[in-house]
Amino acid sequence: TSGFWTGEDRPHVYAFDINTGQENWKFRNDASTNHDMSPLLHVNAGQGLCGSWDEMVLVGWTDGKVTALDISSGSLIWEIQTEVVSWGITGSMAVDSDSVIIPTRQGLSKACLSDGTESLNVDLPELGWRNGVTVTEDSYLIGNEEGVLNIISKEGEVSNISIGEGKIRHSPIVTNAGIIVHLQTNTGSEIYLDQQLLFSEGPSPAIPFAFEQNVYLGTSSDLIWLDCTANCSLEGKSPYHTNGEITYNTLNDAIWFPNNTPGGGWGVGLPGSEIVTYKTPHDTYTTAGVAFGSNGEMAFGNDNGVLMVFLHSYSAEPSNENKSETIFYENLLNNLN
């Protein structure tokens, strides 16, 4: 949960029992005051050249800290301080073998998963915000607020590509056809394949999601599906309002889109076909993606800080809104107000 710009609220990370909703632990960062924080990064136990580590969750904060928290107890395993330029980390981190790659406000850091020892620190010329990092075989990709895609070799050498006049606020998507960037502009957004403009789209782009060679994107106007097996052709497009995390449920092969409107809910379906809106009793503005468990559990969180976890069974009722079917799940396990 994020904090606010003023007052005493501060960001927390919580852990709850999946079956009872009982709080297992929570971790508070008193120094991180802004309401932006990086997406949580779950890391399984492992080992590498720089050591071994237990299962943990990594958190990047606006004060520039990265904390590694034990998955069972929430205890601090290690902590490092990265750069702060007005604020610190707001984009998604990524794992590269035995290291975590951290997009900072104006650079990139690499730290060992075992103990947080930093092995690479790169300064970049422009500022970034919500600019997640992508790991490839030989480099790291990170965008910025000037529409520049930085390509950083694993030895720390920097080259860059100017995509366009706008802001790159997501982890670049690597496909067979090239690199997909959804650029936020002053009048809307633009989808690029490398430096080639493919489509001009609506405002406030969502965080793109790729599965195999399919890329799913969204704006305040539409959902978009590209097949990037060869040339990133448009496969489908549907009107819908989404600005947050697009997610994928492997159990039923479904794509989910948070509905960032006062009515809230989550859209599910393939762009180009009818989008079904799944709703809960606590819907409001929503940017968080749905989380899925291996046994069919589903976790929903909204911008009011309400967390809901559901089991399998549900009942359906039709809704006249946007001719979508509205689903109310049963077995509400946890509800935070």
Side-chain angles (χ1 to χ4, degrees):
T1 64
S2 61
F4 294 90
W5 293 102
T6 60
E8 298 301 319
D9 290 323
R10 294 293 181 269
H12 286 73
V13 176
Y14 293 86
F16 299 95
D17 184 277
I18 190 69
N19 292 308
T20 67
Q22 178 180 348
E23 181 182 299
N24 292 332
W25 55 263
K26 64 181 177 182
F27 184 92
R28 167 177 167 142
N29 185 344
D30 288 321
S32 189
T33 57
N34 297 347
H35 61 251
D36 280 293
M37 59 190 300
S38 75
L40 303 179
L41 180 59
H42 173 235
V43 180
N44 288 314
Q47 59 182 4
L49 294 178
C50 71
S52 61
W53 58 90
D54 295 327
E55 185 179 7
M56 58 186 173
V57 60
L58 300 180
V59 192
W61 309 87
T62 57
D63 65 351
K65 285 190 175 65
V66 177
T67 55
L69 306 178
D70 181 87
I71 201 73
S72 299
S73 66
S75 58
L76 183 64
I77 301 173
W78 54 259
E79 178 181 81
I80 61 172
Q81 177 69 54
T82 65
E83 68 167 5
V84 176
V85 183
S86 298
W87 53 77
I89 304 163
T90 55
S92 57
M93 301 176 287
V95 170
D96 182 20
S97 184
D98 60 356
S99 299
V100 57
I101 312 304
I102 306 158
T104 60
R105 173 73 160 142
Q106 198 171 352
L108 179 140
S109 293
K110 179 179 181 180
C112 175
L113 289 171
S114 174
D115 57 10
T117 300
E118 191 175 61
S119 60
L120 182 66
N121 187 295
V122 177
D123 293 325
L124 297 173
E126 293 96 1
L127 298 175
W129 190 47
R130 297 180 179 172
N131 53 334
V133 63
T134 298
V135 174
T136 72
E137 184 176 348
D138 55 8
S139 61
Y140 307 121
L141 309 179
I142 181 173
N144 61 35
E145 293 290 276
E146 304 299 325
V148 173
L149 175 63
N150 292 292
I151 303 170
I152 305 164
S153 75
K154 296 195 175 181
E155 290 72 41
E157 298 177 356
V158 179
S159 59
N160 54 63
I161 301 172
S162 179
I163 300 298
E165 294 185 5
K167 308 173 191 300
I168 303 174
R169 292 179 169 176
H170 67 85
S171 302
I173 302 289
V174 177
T175 73
N176 286 346
I179 300 171
I180 287 287
V181 167
H182 197 170
L183 194 73
Q184 181 173 328
T185 67
N186 291 333
T187 57
S189 65
E190 297 172 342
I191 299 173
Y192 284 84
L193 176 62
D194 295 328
Q195 291 178 288
Q196 176 190 358
L197 175 62
L198 296 181
F199 309 102
S200 295
E201 296 294 341
S204 301
I207 301 174
F209 175 80
F211 178 71
E212 296 178 342
Q213 294 303 313
N214 296 295
V215 180
Y216 302 94
L217 310 100
T219 68
S220 296
S221 306
D222 296 286
L223 308 179
I224 303 140
W225 171 21
L226 304 180
D227 182 350
C228 292
T229 303
N231 57 5
C232 289
S233 59
L234 180 64
E235 290 296 303
K237 189 173 182 179
S238 296
Y240 205 78
H241 187 130
T242 191
N243 309 121
E245 298 174 313
I246 301 171
T247 51
Y248 172 64
N249 188 352
T250 57
L251 294 180
N252 59 4
D253 200 31
I255 308 296
W256 290 72
F257 307 87
N259 186 10
N260 193 29
T261 66
W266 287 263
V268 60
L270 286 175
S273 60
E274 182 183 11
I275 303 300
V276 176
T277 296
Y278 284 70
K279 299 189 71 66
T280 74
H282 301 280
D283 286 339
T284 183
Y285 290 100
T286 300
T287 50
V290 186
F292 308 99
S294 58
N295 296 314
E297 304 93 343
M298 303 178 72
F300 298 82
N302 63 33
D303 287 12
N304 272 354
V306 178
L307 173 68
M308 294 163 282
V309 178
F310 302 95
L311 291 180
H312 313 291
S313 61
Y314 60 87
S315 60
E317 296 180 5
S319 170
N320 292 326
E321 182 180 359
N322 297 325
K323 297 182 179 179
S324 297
E325 182 182 23
T326 301
I327 307 294
F328 288 92
Y329 279 83
E330 297 174 346
N331 295 338
L332 177 63
L333 300 182
N334 187 50
N335 174 19
L336 295 180
N337 292 295

